[in-house]
Amino acid sequence: MEKSKEYLQKEKFFADLDRLHLSLTFDDVRLKTRYYPEDYDPNQAPDLSTHFSKNIKLKLPFVSAAMSTVTESDMAIAMAKEGGLGIIHNAMDIDKQKKELRKVKKYVNSLIEKPIIVQDDWSIEQLLNYCNDKNFNFTTFPVVDQNENFVGMLTNNNLKYELDESKQIKDIFTPLDKVIRTDPKISSEDAFLMMKKHKTSTLPVIDLNNKVVGLYLWSDLVRIHHEKSNYNVNEKGQLIVGAAISSGTDYLERIEEIKNYTDLLVIDSADGDSKFVVDALIKVKENYPNIDVVVGNISEGESALKLAEIGADGIKVGQGPGSICTTRIETGIGTPQVSAIYNCFSKLNEKYSSIPICGDGGIRDKGDISIAIASGASSVMMGRVLAGVKESPGKVISRPDGSQYKEYYGMGSRKSFDNNPNSKIRYNQTDNQVLIEGVESIIPYQGELKTVLNGLVMALKKSMIYLKTKSIEEHRYNTNFTRITNSGLRESGSHDVNVIGI
Ligand code: IMP
């Protein structure tokens, strides 16, 4: 791909920094606006769709962190409903993680896999008694004959004008030749389009042997696939979710248990270019070649390249930028986040430009998201920004002065190590004597996730409008930086006024 003028400028900006051995983070830079290009349509809203990994698409570039105070099923459901993604943490036993993932998968039921079927020779009275006994509050059924072959559909429309309850189902149902039906290979979205085209509210799925193997309902599909819906769903119409795994001892056993309930795996480590992680990645890809595996965390381009070579489907960048993280202070390691993301982005661009980067940690102000993407991230993972919402795990803490908080602690904090053995593995520590790499905190309660995400979406779109970038992909390549000083940073926020409101 030919490099754009803007991309070449970005390359030069970072090459100049590299010559000075200088790395920057969000507060060190701002993004440069530009005169609008000829093909830029100011009435077209920026497109925020992107990828978390090679095959996992997002409608919004937001991912909730794999942390015990951020992402369990409620958060993952809420994130996917808004078009983002939640990664369910693994600081819990396998069974609990499976249950959490399962809840996400079962949240919307696009395909009813085992619909209740009824027989064509039943009387209406028999059917009504059956529904009564079973407490069914629906009257839509595929109808079969004595050999369980599909022969037609019974819907509320067939039933509601029929007063003679002695009639048989076969006297009133919609027979085979008038039923729109489909085969098991259809995707949830194509089922939706088919139902829309034929204006049908039910779509039975029939196999080659004429047996009923599923049922789509318009009322379910319209919720998922309506153009105004932001639901992030897979082929089956289930909400998308990811699962964190460690590079410790139980990961293969864990994957075997959870594989049917997750769309992707994230090998979650503070030291993502260690031998433990590389070995785990090789093993996971060998055993599960069809599941996308995102690997992290790293900061260096060479590491990104090596992980891509051995099969990573996505790279997670960020060692030490997290709000609750003390790794850089305790160990002296780490590269400030803008440079870390760019290091990996520029290196992957040489050969693996289809492998997305997720910028993990350090998002403080809304504008940081736009900066992370301009540095090369396809998505950002957030902990603190999301941990204060209703859908994060844990209770709301109320203070006597009426203020409300939620707990937010690092996976490398004492509390996490004490509660969950897996969090020690994230930091390659198994002994009783451990180095603490995170803190415990409380953060203000923020109500529903949707409101917080709306704010982030608005800010990111506005940023892209200033920068005249139409898509996340264009934003990654064509947005340029300027380096700022402390005076520039001071000028960036409100200043020299007594703020009394916003
Ligand atoms: P935040 O969005 O700035 O709060 O950062 C969240 C990210 O910090 C997570 O996604 C992890 O990558 C990282 N993280 C979580 N717990 C710890 C910790 O205890 N120490 C260091 N990093 C952590």
Side-chain angles (χ1 to χ4, degrees):
M1 192 176 72
E2 205 189 320
K3 292 176 179 174
S4 66
K5 178 180 95 219
E6 290 83 0
Y7 185 69
L8 290 171
Q9 278 166 9
K10 195 195 312 247
E11 261 187 345
K12 181 166 183 319
F13 176 84
F14 282 99
D16 287 348
L17 287 171
D18 207 38
R19 267 191 288 282
L20 299 171
H21 304 283
L22 191 62
S23 295
L24 304 181
T25 192
F26 302 111
D27 277 356
D28 298 321
V29 294
R30 288 300 103 174
L31 303 173
K32 288 173 86 155
T33 55
R34 57 176 177 155
Y35 194 82
Y36 74 90
E38 276 302 306
D39 62 347
Y40 182 75
D41 176 0
N43 297 313
Q44 186 77 40
D47 174 8
L48 300 190
S49 64
T50 182
H51 278 80
F52 179 62
S53 61
K54 259 192 216 161
N55 300 297
I56 299 294
K57 290 187 191 153
L58 304 176
K59 292 185 178 175
L60 295 179
F62 307 141
V63 183
S64 65
M67 297 173 68
S68 50
T69 46
V70 183
T71 312
E72 291 181 355
S73 53
D74 285 350
M75 176 65 95
I77 289 168
M79 286 297 291
K81 277 170 74 178
E82 295 304 319
L85 171 71
I87 308 297
I88 301 217
H89 70 93
N90 64 329
M92 53 176 114
D93 64 36
I94 297 175
D95 210 41
K96 166 98 165 91
Q97 193 185 27
K98 182 174 166 182
K99 279 193 187 124
E100 291 298 312
L101 290 163
R102 203 168 173 274
K103 276 192 216 162
V104 185
K105 285 287 154 218
K106 297 287 165 195
Y107 181 78
V108 275
N109 215 355
S110 85
L111 174 68
I112 302 168
E113 280 176 355
K114 288 192 184 132
I116 308 288
I117 48 179
V118 294
Q119 233 163 271
D120 61 349
D121 57 358
W122 288 10
S123 69
I124 297 176
E125 186 186 6
Q126 213 175 339
L127 172 80
L128 294 177
N129 288 340
Y130 175 68
C131 290
N132 213 12
D133 284 352
K134 299 272 180 192
N135 254 337
F136 291 155
N137 57 0
F138 53 90
T139 42
T140 298
F141 301 97
V143 183
V144 296
D145 62 15
Q146 275 89 336
N147 299 322
E148 302 237 312
N149 287 322
F150 179 64
V151 289
M153 281 300 294
L154 183 72
T155 66
N156 196 30
N157 268 352
N158 302 126
L159 271 174
K160 71 182 168 194
Y161 301 110
E162 189 51 70
L163 303 177
D164 180 357
E165 292 190 3
S166 67
K167 278 194 177 165
Q168 289 188 322
I169 288 178
K170 65 175 134 200
D171 300 327
I172 63 160
F173 77 154
T174 308
L176 198 56
D177 57 337
K178 296 211 173 86
V179 174
I180 307 291
R181 56 193 185 276
T182 189
D183 63 82
K185 285 201 204 97
I186 196 165
S187 73
S188 159
E189 184 160 18
D190 285 344
F192 168 74
L193 295 174
M194 189 172 175
M195 292 171 91
K196 188 169 165 220
K197 180 171 160 211
H198 293 284
K199 297 191 169 48
T200 177
S201 59
T202 60
L203 184 65
V205 184
I206 310 300
D207 70 8
L208 287 175
N209 301 319
N210 208 20
K211 298 288 181 278
V212 181
V213 291
L215 178 67
Y216 286 106
L217 296 180
W218 176 253
S219 51
D220 288 334
L221 291 195
V222 77
R223 212 154 47 107
I224 302 168
H225 296 295
H226 192 288
E227 61 194 26
K228 286 195 184 137
S229 155
N230 244 349
Y231 279 34
N232 198 8
V233 293
N234 63 13
E235 278 272 286
K236 291 183 182 167
Q238 300 165 323
L239 291 177
I240 287 201
V241 63
I245 56 168
S246 72
S247 55
T249 49
D250 78 346
Y251 62 87
L252 286 178
E253 186 194 342
R254 190 174 281 264
I255 300 171
E256 201 42 40
E257 283 297 312
I258 63 176
K259 65 174 192 233
N260 293 332
Y261 304 105
T262 188
D263 298 278
L264 71 137
L265 300 165
V266 176
I267 303 181
D268 189 32
S269 167
D271 188 10
D273 39 18
S274 65
K275 180 161 168 42
F276 302 115
V277 171
V278 168
D279 288 349
L281 173 62
I282 292 170
K283 272 226 174 76
V284 174
K285 285 308 289 185
E286 251 169 38
N287 286 284
Y288 303 95
N290 298 326
I291 305 183
D292 269 21
V293 183
V294 172
V295 189
N297 282 12
I298 57 164
S299 318
E300 294 303 322
E302 281 303 322
S303 301
L305 203 57
K306 289 244 163 63
L307 292 172
E309 270 162 13
I310 56 174
D313 301 293
I315 301 286
K316 202 146 66 69
V317 176
Q319 289 176 301
S323 58
I324 33 49
C325 174
T326 53
T327 301
R328 288 192 192 160
I329 302 299
E330 293 295 332
T331 66
I333 66 108
T335 299
Q337 189 69 344
V338 164
S339 294
I341 295 173
Y342 180 80
N343 288 346
C344 298
F345 169 65
S346 61
K347 210 68 190 168
L348 286 184
N349 258 342
E350 291 170 11
K351 244 168 101 183
Y352 296 99
S353 59
S354 67
I355 298 188
I357 290 167
C358 176
D360 176 13
I363 300 297
R364 213 171 60 198
D365 301 316
K366 295 190 195 80
D368 296 346
I369 295 176
S370 187
I371 295 174
I373 295 169
S375 311
S378 293
S379 64
V380 290
M381 177 173 271
M382 294 171 285
R384 186 198 60 84
V385 172
L386 307 176
V389 302
K390 191 177 104 206
E391 293 86 347
S392 68
K395 293 198 183 80
V396 178
I397 305 161
S398 295
R399 286 275 172 84
D401 64 0
S403 55
Q404 292 185 304
Y405 296 87
K406 282 194 97 164
E407 190 179 23
Y408 178 47
Y409 56 82
M411 299 303 281
S413 65
R414 164 71 60 202
K415 180 157 188 174
S416 183
F417 284 171
D418 285 350
N419 289 349
N420 326 287
N422 268 349
S423 52
K424 281 190 192 157
I425 296 167
R426 187 177 195 274
Y427 296 87
N428 287 339
Q429 305 191 59
T430 41
D431 302 339
N432 287 336
Q433 280 268 324
V434 285
L435 180 73
I436 301 300
E437 294 184 43
V439 298
E440 290 173 45
S441 72
I442 53 167
I443 53 170
Y445 176 60
Q446 298 195 66
E448 291 198 355
L449 174 78
K450 191 181 172 61
T451 316
V452 173
L453 289 188
N454 280 346
L456 302 185
V457 167
M458 244 181 343
L460 179 57
K461 281 192 174 163
K462 197 64 208 285
S463 175
M464 290 170 73
I465 288 168
Y466 278 122
L467 298 161
K468 285 91 180 176
T469 48
K470 298 185 283 282
S471 66
I472 296 292
E473 213 42 23
E474 194 193 344
H475 196 64
R476 295 174 76 208
Y477 284 91
N478 286 353
T479 302
N480 259 293
F481 291 83
T482 184
R483 204 187 147 192
I484 61 169
T485 59
N486 275 341
S487 333
L489 184 62
R490 208 178 122 229
E491 185 188 65
S492 298
S494 62
H495 55 87
D496 302 306
V497 292
N498 292 329
V499 178
I500 55 169
I502 51 162

